[in-house]
Amino acid sequence: MEETEALQAQKPEVIKASEEDSTEHDIVLDVFIDQAGYEAGDARISNISFQVRRGQLLGLIGPNGAGKSTTIKTLLGLLKHAKAKVSLGGENKSYAYVPEQPVFYEDLTLWEHLDLAAAAYGLTYETFEETAGKLLTQFGMEHVRNDLPAGFSKGMKQKMMLMLGFLVQPDVYIVDEPFIGLDPRATKDFLRLLAAERERGAGVLMSTHVLDTAEKICDSFVLISGGRMTATGTLEEIRAQAGLPEGSLFDCFDELT
């Protein structure tokens, strides 16, 4: 991946890796955050760095107020007061962001939201129709394809956000608290689609506080507390850092944060 010469004071610099750089070919997201906050001189997070590789699911975990959402907002370029460097890799150097709180246009139907996303990413209409149709079936949303999302339940709105992300098949997914509002069936569908995307080669950065699920599905973790990284690595490495060789992720989380 290409390196930047300096950190940007106002907005994280997003760099698309050179295709000739084969030594870092499997890295789809490379993040270094020197510091970031919502007001000048008030850093909420600092010294946070991690990489997401092809096919990897990296869990970003921490207690409420730890800085998980601030980290995601920083790497997306949404904070004005940030010193950060973000590099994108992969075949298309693309990402999809699935927010914790659903965002939608009140005057567009579910199908029109999908159509708009497909057009923005340059999908052919044939590809869009086929993929969107499958997603509607998988998430049990065929009956509301022509309805306005303002009338959806929270779980249905969250399903729409997930469908928009899966529609474009990016190199990396950035997913913020995906399990909130999902029923068990939708959670299972989401995890199945996520596994298929990882097999395709997509990387995933997932912020979550559902630790029992994270322990089962994540390859590695970044633990954040008080705006700083307190531990990083696989579950075995996290256990070693916590001094709990047989501990669950929850036990390690409690010990380290």
Side-chain angles (χ1 to χ4, degrees), residues 54-101:
R54 287 171 51 87
Q56 180 187 20
L57 200 169
L58 176 65
L60 182 66
I61 62 177
N64 291 335
K68 302 188 301 298
S69 293
T70 303
T71 298
I72 289 179
K73 289 177 182 177
T74 301
L75 68 90
L76 292 173
L78 300 179
L79 293 187
K80 179 180 179 181
H81 304 287
K83 285 185 177 181
K85 179 180 65 177
V86 180
S87 301
L88 293 173
E91 183 177 353
N92 299 310
K93 289 78 179 176
S94 62
Y95 71 89
Y97 170 52
V98 180
E100 176 183 358
Q101 297 296 329

Side-chain angles (χ1 to χ4, degrees), residues 128-141:
F128 156 66
E129 279 196 309
E130 179 182 358
T131 306
K134 289 180 179 178
L135 288 170
L136 285 169
T137 300
Q138 289 169 323
F139 280 99
M141 300 280 279

